[in-house]
Amino acid sequence: MNRDLENIKIRIEQSYVLNSSEKEILLNSIKAVDKEFTIVEFKLERTEKVKRTTSVLLEETIDELEKKRADVEQANAALKKSLEELKSTQAQLIQSEKMASLGELTAGIAHEIQNPLNFVNNFSEVNRELIDELKDAITSSDQEEIQLILKDLTENEDKIKHHGKRAEVIVKGMLQHSRTSQGEKEPTDINVLADEYLRLAYHGLRAKDKSFNADFKCDFDESLPKINVIPQDIGRVLLNLINNAFYAVSSKASAMEDSKYKPEVLISTRVSLSGGINGKKRIEILIKDNGPGIPDEIKDKIFQPFFTTKPTGSGTGLGLSLSYDIIKAHGGEIKLESHHVEEKEKAGTEFIISIPFN
């Protein structure tokens, strides 16, 4: 019992003033108060223990949180480094894909550039002969002959200039294709771009495999307006899809050597005035082949990075993924329609590129 309460209890018991009943009441009250004091002391003691325990736990928690914060900072630094390495690797892969497609273009470019160079060489040779004739005509003072020769020389120089410009355009296109895009859009004739890359892709494949042959056809909407795009990027998409189409019909032709199968690739353009992307009109580029088609089970995978059905070494698996990203960056979309059926003559694949314009 509390010391003070004990003293009070003794005085009550020794008191001569209080009778027995009053003493009993007071002593019971003191016992009740003592009990309450005991409970309070117990609670205070328990609270103190909890306080000490909580303080220890709090210190341990702070230490643990500090350690975790350090671990998180370290993990963030590692993630940041990994992200930078990933971006660097992605840039390298994209550049590798560009250079791979440039390699596919090289043979086609060589074929395409040879034609205007042949014209330049031939007309230059003809002009050398005409110059010799001009000298003779000047010596003989034959004015009529002089005028005729000068006219021929002028016409031939115009042709040399024309074919020189043609070679310049091809080289410019090659350089645009190989360099990193600066994201600068410019008014572009999609029909000209599609025709250019169709022929380059075809001649490139022919240069690599002389046994390959396929019909390719164009059905261009001549009313197509020029639209603002990054031409080398759109050209890269066209090249990828056209190469895939030629690869598909070539594979099918190899598997059906004894059949009457005629490989064919068709590229067409049109303007769609209804149901446009975000309410806008759009230009559509359709690239269709009569190859084996794409099985249903892989249609959802073809735009995934690194997914390819080609043999190892024949493709990076980035072509369609990059093409999807390029068209998306132009506010457009790529759709696939493919039929992989038992009746092989009805099989085929068609990619539809939609690019909105005002």
Side-chain angles (χ1 to χ4, degrees):
M1 180 178 289
N2 183 278
R3 183 179 298 175
D4 293 333
L5 291 177
E6 185 69 30
N7 291 331
I8 294 171
K9 178 184 175 184
I10 292 171
R11 290 187 178 187
I12 291 172
E13 289 175 343
Q14 295 176 349
S15 174
Y16 296 104
V17 178
L18 300 172
N19 59 38
S20 299
S21 296
E22 291 173 337
K23 288 182 178 180
E24 185 178 355
I25 292 170
L26 289 173
L27 289 174
N28 287 337
S29 297
I30 289 172
K31 288 181 181 179
V33 170
D34 182 60
K35 184 178 180 181
E36 289 295 328
F37 277 159
T38 302
I39 292 173
V40 169
E41 285 177 350
F42 172 77
K43 287 183 178 180
L44 286 173
E45 184 179 354
R46 188 176 62 178
T47 301
E48 187 62 29
K49 287 181 179 179
V50 170
K51 182 179 177 182
R52 288 196 300 269
T53 303
T54 302
S55 177
V56 172
L57 289 174
L58 184 59
E59 288 179 4
E60 292 177 351
T61 302
I62 290 172
D63 290 341
E64 185 67 23
L65 286 173
E66 183 62 27
K67 182 181 177 182
K68 288 183 177 180
R69 184 191 64 78
D71 290 342
V72 168
E73 287 183 354
Q74 186 176 358
N76 282 340
L79 285 172
K80 185 178 180 181
K81 183 180 178 182
S82 297
L83 180 61
E84 290 172 353
E85 291 175 351
L86 182 62
K87 287 180 178 179
S88 176
T89 301
Q90 184 184 37
Q92 291 174 10
L93 286 170
I94 290 172
Q95 189 61 24
S96 295
E97 172 64 21
K98 291 178 181 178
M99 296 311 294
S101 62
L102 179 61
E104 294 175 351
L105 271 180
T106 302
I109 289 170
H111 179 276
E112 286 296 298
I113 207 170
Q114 190 61 51
N115 288 332
L117 288 178
N118 286 341
F119 277 109
V120 169
N121 290 335
N122 291 339
F123 283 118
S124 295
E125 187 63 33
V126 170
N127 279 1
R128 285 177 61 87
E129 295 174 1
L130 287 173
I131 289 171
D132 289 336
E133 293 178 13
L134 180 60
K135 290 177 181 178
D136 294 337
I138 292 174
T139 301
S140 62
S141 298
D142 188 341
Q143 292 300 319
E144 184 178 352
E145 183 67 14
I146 290 172
Q147 293 303 317
L148 289 173
I149 293 172
L150 286 175
K151 180 182 178 183
D152 288 341
L153 282 170
T154 301
E155 290 176 352
N156 288 348
E157 284 301 315
D158 288 340
K159 292 174 183 176
I160 289 172
K161 182 178 180 180
H162 169 76
H163 291 290
K165 288 288 185 183
R166 169 65 182 148
E168 181 184 355
V169 168
I170 294 170
V171 172
K172 181 181 178 182
M174 177 182 68
L175 293 175
Q176 284 183 330
H177 186 85
S178 62
R179 72 172 180 239
T180 302
S181 170
Q182 299 301 313
E184 296 178 2
K185 294 182 178 181
E186 58 185 78
T188 302
D189 189 326
I190 295 296
N191 288 342
V192 171
L193 198 67
D195 181 67
E196 184 86 14
Y197 277 91
L198 176 62
R199 286 183 291 105
L200 290 176
Y202 175 78
H203 291 305
L205 185 57
R206 282 279 293 163
K208 288 192 295 184
D209 182 6
K210 297 294 184 184
S211 64
F212 170 74
N213 199 7
D215 288 335
F216 61 89
K217 299 179 181 178
C218 300
D219 182 15
F220 295 143
D221 183 347
E222 298 301 329
S223 67
L224 222 62
K226 287 187 176 182
I227 61 172
N228 281 321
V229 296
I230 304 171
Q232 61 266 39
D233 282 356
I234 300 301
R236 199 166 287 128
V237 173
L238 293 172
L239 179 68
N240 180 264
L241 294 178
I242 294 168
N243 273 338
N244 285 351
F246 278 133
Y247 180 86
V249 298
S250 176
S251 299
K252 185 173 179 178
S254 298
M256 302 175 66
E257 292 179 354
D258 298 330
S259 74
K260 295 181 180 179
Y261 170 68
K262 293 182 179 180
E264 182 177 279
V265 172
L266 171 66
I267 182 166
S268 58
T269 59
R270 66 192 182 197
V271 175
S272 179
L273 301 177
S274 61
I277 302 168
N278 296 326
K280 296 181 179 179
K281 295 181 290 185
R282 65 180 185 264
I283 279 180
E284 293 186 338
I285 310 166
L286 299 87
I287 299 169
K288 185 177 182 180
D289 67 65
N290 62 343
I294 299 175
D296 290 338
E297 59 269 20
I298 67 171
K299 285 181 180 179
D300 293 336
K301 301 178 182 178
I302 61 169
F303 291 112
Q304 294 177 5
F306 306 110
F307 178 80
T308 180
T309 58
K310 295 179 181 179
T312 302
S314 297
T316 62
L318 284 172
L320 284 176
S321 174
L322 290 177
S323 297
Y324 179 88
D325 290 342
I326 288 171
I327 297 302
K328 186 177 180 181
H330 281 77
E333 61 184 6
I334 300 181
K335 293 187 293 185
L336 165 67
E337 292 185 7
S338 184
H339 306 285
H340 185 73
V341 294
E342 292 299 325
E343 299 176 74
K344 296 183 182 298
E345 67 275 8
K346 294 183 180 180
T349 298
E350 181 177 33
F351 282 94
I352 304 172
I353 303 169
S354 296
I355 304 175
F357 70 98
N358 294 323

